[in-house]
Amino acid sequence: ALTYLNFDGSDDYLDANTALQAEMRTSHSWSAWIKLDDGDPAVNNAIVASYNAGNDWINLYVGTDAKLTYLYQANGTSKFAQDASTTFVNGANPWHHVVATMSYTDSSNAVMKLYLDGQELTLDGTNDGAFSGNMGTYTSSTDFYLGAENNNGSARYFLDGGQRDVKLFDYALSADQVASLYSGSYNVTPKHWWKIDDGGAHASGSATVEDYG
């Protein structure tokens, strides 16, 4: 049986207990399994997120438009990578594997990509993941939350549903690597790994989660 946490969408979240400052300054990849109670939510559902209420902001989330979205902002320069189509269906959704990658090109460019169940998503024409800024200027010391966004110490954008097996790789996964990760054959230990294997329990408000990376 799958082990996971069921987030209630109102006050449950996990504190990763790290700001991941160095990791967010260069190429990286987020991976998670999610099971949404409503794939077209009334409020943004954050998978992993941190906002220092200033110039640095990172949020991998499912938006009110049912689209998987990755927001990256460093020193006030931001970009969205967003599915061109609706990623999830209205109402309850089965388990899905989501991945966001960001590849550092140089001090003024980076490329973001999104994947669902091992397949790369076509991105929106405007929110196309082409970041025109310097990732190296990300200086936030605000911890990441799982299942919500840490808005400078205050949680918001709560996930309503199940979440498990959150991974952060310190490089941009290739399409083949993402497909292997989805199928369970990419057996590489990530930089950080929050298994969230607590047997379907509730997060019960705030809790710090163990990192196996």
Side-chain angles (χ1 to χ4, degrees), residues 104-152:
Y104 177 94
T105 305
D106 53 41
S107 60
S108 56
N109 293 281
V111 178
M112 306 150 74
K113 295 182 179 181
L114 297 175
Y115 299 82
L116 180 76
D117 296 338
Q119 298 294 317
E120 185 174 351
L121 297 175
T122 299
L123 300 182
D124 176 81
T126 301
N127 301 310
D128 61 1
F131 179 71
S132 299
N134 185 358
M135 295 180 72
T137 61
Y138 185 88
T139 57
S140 176
S141 58
T142 302
D143 281 357
F144 272 81
Y145 285 174
L146 284 66
E149 178 185 277
N150 183 359
N151 177 25
N152 199 32

Side-chain angles (χ1 to χ4, degrees), residues 22-211:
E23 291 87 341
M24 294 301 102
R25 288 175 175 168
T26 189
S27 299
H28 60 268
S29 302
W30 291 103
S31 165
W33 285 90
I34 59 172
K35 184 177 186 292
L36 300 173
D37 286 356
D38 185 1
D40 189 8
V43 295
N44 291 339
N45 275 216
I47 301 165
V48 288
S50 171
Y51 177 44
N52 68 353
N55 290 326
D56 297 323
W57 194 356
I58 291 175
N59 193 344
L60 175 60
Y61 66 96
V62 179
T64 56
D65 47 14
K67 295 180 178 182
L68 183 65
T69 306
Y70 190 41
L71 162 63
Y72 181 94
Q73 177 174 305
N75 195 32
T77 301
S78 63
K79 191 65 183 182
F80 291 87
Q82 185 175 71
D83 191 354
S85 308
T86 54
T87 319
F88 302 96
V89 299
N90 191 19
N93 280 247
W95 282 104
H96 284 293
H97 183 240
V98 297
V99 170
T101 69
M102 190 160 186
S103 179
Y104 177 94
T105 305
D106 53 41
S107 60
S108 56
N109 293 281
V111 178
M112 306 150 74
K113 295 182 179 181
L114 297 175
Y115 299 82
L116 180 76
D117 296 338
Q119 298 294 317
E120 185 174 351
L121 297 175
T122 299
L123 300 182
D124 176 81
T126 301
N127 301 310
D128 61 1
F131 179 71
S132 299
N134 185 358
M135 295 180 72
T137 61
Y138 185 88
T139 57
S140 176
S141 58
T142 302
D143 281 357
F144 272 81
Y145 285 174
L146 284 66
E149 178 185 277
N150 183 359
N151 177 25
N152 199 32
S154 176
R156 64 179 181 180
Y157 302 144
F158 296 97
L159 184 84
D160 188 5
Q163 181 168 317
R164 64 181 175 88
D165 207 26
V166 179
K167 298 178 179 181
L168 175 64
F169 296 88
D170 56 351
Y171 52 92
L173 292 165
S174 69
D176 285 346
Q177 288 170 330
V178 172
S180 296
L181 187 62
Y182 169 64
S183 67
S185 60
Y186 190 67
N187 299 312
V188 177
T189 302
K191 175 82 173 193
H192 296 277
W193 187 4
W194 302 276
K195 294 183 180 180
I196 321 180
D197 52 358
D198 294 332
H202 273 276
S204 301
S206 166
T208 300
V209 61
E210 188 169 358
D211 184 349

